[in-house]
């Protein structure tokens, strides 16, 4: 009788140990879920990229002056960007984003009779609204907004590079449209790849230079269209 009791007790003990082990294994397999990344909040960062621009020019001048236009040189830009994200239902993210970039891109505008007009882009700034879709730590987005391009014109004599003294600063205003993706490398580090199309326009008057004579041009319609590719890194607060 005692033998049967011992066997039964041993079986109960083995069953309890087995059940406890199974419970421990099940508990070990159920890992706590990582908290979902929060995109909401402000951020500020640095960026670099390359503008690929096309300068256009139309003149109402009665002097019958035609220009052969070129592409501005493609040089890297460097600047700052900042913004704020708001989380919406269904993982949508709405944001406000602004940037300013400095660079120096020149194009030679050749006028008949060996005259030169130098066009130089110096900076670009924009403010955009963004709509993204959070996919964990990735957020693809589309964006659109306003752009301001800072540029300078100055005339040169027949010897290229001799400044005639006439210089004009311009702010070209327009709009931009683009897309990109943000990646949350850590809780506070956001990496970005961004493409943007800018188109800007200005209506103004300009000066042309001949040796010892300045000719004031008539009203002009000038614009810049550019494809801009940027990468950046931002600190998220």
């Amino acid at each position: 009788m005692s033998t049967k009791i011992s066997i039964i007790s041993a079986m109960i003990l083995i069953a309890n140990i087995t059940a406890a082990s199974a419970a421990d294994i099940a508990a070990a397999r159920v890992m706590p879920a990582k908290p979902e990344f929060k995109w909401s909040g402000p951020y500020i960062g640095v960026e670099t990229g390359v503008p690929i621009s096309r300068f256009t020019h139309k003149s109402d001048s009665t002097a019958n002056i035609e220009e052969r236009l070129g592409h501005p040189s493609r040089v890297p830009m460097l600047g700052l960007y900042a913004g704020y994200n708001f989380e919406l239902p269904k993982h949508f993210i709405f944001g406000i984003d602004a940037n300013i970039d400095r660079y120096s891109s020149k194009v030679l505008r050749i006028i008949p009779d060996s005259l030169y007009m130098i066009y130089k882009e110096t900076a670009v700034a924009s403010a955009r609204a963004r709509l993204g879709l959070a996919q964990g730590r990735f957020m693809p987005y589309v964006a659109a907004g306003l752009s301001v391009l800072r540029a300078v014109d100055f005339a040169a004599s027949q010897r290229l590079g001799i400044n005639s003294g006439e210089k004009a600063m311009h702010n070209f205003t327009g709009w931009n449209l683009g897309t990109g993706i943000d990646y949350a490398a850590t809780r506070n580090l956001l990496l970005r790849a961004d493409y943007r199309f800018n188109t800007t326009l200005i209506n103004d008057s300009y000066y042309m230079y001949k040796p010892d004579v300045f000719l004031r041009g008539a009203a002009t319609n000038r614009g810049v269209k550019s494809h801009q590719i940027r990468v950046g890194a931002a600190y998220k607060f």
Side-chain angles (χ1 to χ4, degrees), residues 54-58 67-71 107-110:
R54 172 61 179 168
F55 180 84
T56 60
H57 176 266
K58 295 180 181 179
E67 302 181 39
R68 299 190 299 274
L69 305 178
H71 292 271
V107 61
L108 173 63
R109 300 160 55 196
I110 304 174

Side-chain angles (χ1 to χ4, degrees), residues 46-117:
V46 294
E47 63 183 9
T48 185
V50 177
I52 304 173
S53 302
R54 172 61 179 168
F55 180 84
T56 60
H57 176 266
K58 295 180 181 179
S59 174
D60 296 330
S61 172
T62 57
N64 193 27
I65 293 177
E66 298 179 358
E67 302 181 39
R68 299 190 299 274
L69 305 178
H71 292 271
S73 56
R74 299 172 183 177
V75 296
M77 58 174 61
L78 181 64
L80 301 173
Y81 69 100
Y84 198 101
N85 289 325
F86 302 88
E87 294 193 13
L88 303 177
K90 298 186 182 299
H91 302 287
F92 282 104
I93 307 295
F94 174 77
I96 301 296
D97 190 272
N99 73 283
I100 181 168
D101 297 301
R102 295 278 299 179
Y103 62 104
S104 179
S105 180
K106 297 179 182 179
V107 61
L108 173 63
R109 300 160 55 196
I110 304 174
I111 305 173
D113 299 326
S114 300
L115 304 179
Y116 301 95
M117 294 289 290

Side-chain angles (χ1 to χ4, degrees), residues 145-172:
L146 301 177
S147 297
V148 178
L149 177 68
R150 186 71 165 167
V152 59
D153 283 338
F154 62 90
S157 68
Q158 289 178 318
R159 292 180 57 193
L160 181 61
I162 304 300
N163 194 341
S164 68
E166 284 294 328
K167 181 184 292 186
M169 299 294 294
H170 306 286
N171 288 322
F172 292 69

Side-chain angles (χ1 to χ4, degrees), residues 11-27:
M11 293 177 63
I12 293 173
L13 179 60
I14 293 172
N16 289 335
I17 294 174
T18 303
S21 299
D24 292 339
I25 294 173

